[in-house]
Amino acid sequence: MMQLPLLLAVALQAEPLPLPAHTDIPEGYSTVICPDRSAAERMLTDFYAVAPAPRNHTHIIPLFFEGLEATGCVQGGPLKVGTITIETVLMRRSFDKADGPEQVIAFEGVNGEGVSLVGIVDETGNNAFPRSPLERWLQNHADGDMLAVPVGGGYEPPTYICPSLAAANASVAAIPNYETEDADEFIATTAFETALAANGCSRTEGRYRITALGEDGVILCGYECAAVWTALEAETTGGETVGLIYEASLM
């Protein structure tokens, strides 16, 4: 008859590994697909490694491709269709990279067509991967969901505060379409400034929590130069809901 301590040890070994914060892998996120569980576990155990610091910015690429050939795993492949759903974590490894620790998991799951598969994914990167237009905007412009106005040093275009997202959207909508004859910078800027005044918008600074993404308006300002004015819904530090208009070009 099995003794209690041994029963407890068996139970602990059977405890499933915790799922990642995001169990969905978007179609555009890099994923390795393997023939079976043993191939995935071997690939992650033997062929994932990073160079010692200070060259630990990425995985050792020749070793990784050697592993693909040895295990039959592939980057992407015919089973990587639609959003993959992680159902079970088979194993988890942590790597010390220059920009911080990275967790990589081998997992079992299904693809967007419901077909079962086994794969490997960068858990840390997948958790941080933006899944909506708002998340993508925040990743490019904000610190988490907080926007600091003005941002950085040097020249910064003004940011405008409006009574609501509707007022911010209306102001941005007044900017002529940049593909039309009214795309002249002076005409577009005048139309925008008139709409700002009409909708009760004024210059602002400070910190705001961004809660929703509104419309964009583009004012051409020269060769390969464009100001992208984006309407946002935000909360002030006092909890008031307002609209913002932020110049969001990345150039």
Side-chain angles (χ1 to χ4, degrees):
M1 185 174 181
M2 192 176 294
Q3 295 181 351
L4 184 58
L6 182 56
L7 283 171
L8 181 58
V10 171
L12 289 174
Q13 288 175 356
E15 189 74 21
L17 292 173
L19 290 171
H22 281 289
T23 57
D24 62 309
I25 305 174
E27 190 166 12
Y29 196 76
S30 177
T31 311
V32 170
I33 307 299
C34 294
D36 52 38
R37 175 174 180 161
S38 63
E41 291 177 341
R42 182 186 174 206
M43 179 73 191
L44 183 51
T45 300
D46 296 341
F47 299 102
Y48 274 75
V50 296
R55 301 183 62 189
N56 59 334
H57 60 283
T58 188
H59 289 273
I60 300 174
I61 303 302
L63 180 65
F64 174 80
F65 281 104
E66 179 185 330
L68 295 182
E69 185 173 350
T71 62
C73 298
V74 295
Q75 288 183 289
L79 286 179
K80 193 177 186 317
V81 179
T83 298
I84 293 173
T85 301
I86 299 168
E87 296 181 327
T88 305
V89 174
L90 302 175
M91 66 177 297
R92 178 178 273 112
R93 289 192 65 196
S94 182
F95 299 92
D96 183 17
K97 298 180 72 175
D99 56 355
E102 175 190 86
Q103 300 259 81
V104 180
I105 58 173
F107 68 90
E108 291 177 326
V110 295
N111 67 14
E113 295 179 345
V115 177
S116 296
L117 53 77
V118 180
I120 299 170
V121 72
D122 171 1
E123 176 184 10
T124 304
N126 186 58
N127 284 341
F129 190 77
R131 285 164 168 76
S132 70
L134 175 59
E135 288 180 345
R136 286 191 290 273
W137 195 95
L138 291 172
Q139 187 177 73
N140 287 325
H141 301 286
D143 179 12
D145 61 359
M146 296 299 296
L147 180 66
V149 181
V151 179
Y155 170 74
E156 295 290 348
T159 296
Y160 298 93
I161 187 170
C162 304
S164 64
L165 175 59
N169 275 333
S171 300
V172 168
I175 298 172
N177 188 313
Y178 67 93
E179 295 180 337
T180 69
E181 294 180 359
D182 294 329
D184 176 83
E185 182 182 0
F186 176 78
I187 294 174
T189 300
T190 300
F192 181 40
E193 290 176 347
T194 300
L196 289 170
N199 288 292
C201 304
S202 59
R203 292 190 180 199
T204 188
E205 60 182 24
R207 286 179 61 81
Y208 296 88
R209 187 173 73 86
I210 307 304
T211 55
L213 190 61
E215 303 299 322
D216 283 337
V218 178
I219 299 178
L220 300 180
C221 49
Y223 177 69
E224 293 188 348
C225 174
V228 181
W229 294 99
T230 300
L232 304 161
E233 184 178 73
E235 284 186 4
T236 67
T237 53
E240 179 185 4
T241 300
V242 298
L244 291 179
I245 302 175
Y246 181 81
E247 204 287 284
S249 62
L250 295 175
M251 297 292 290

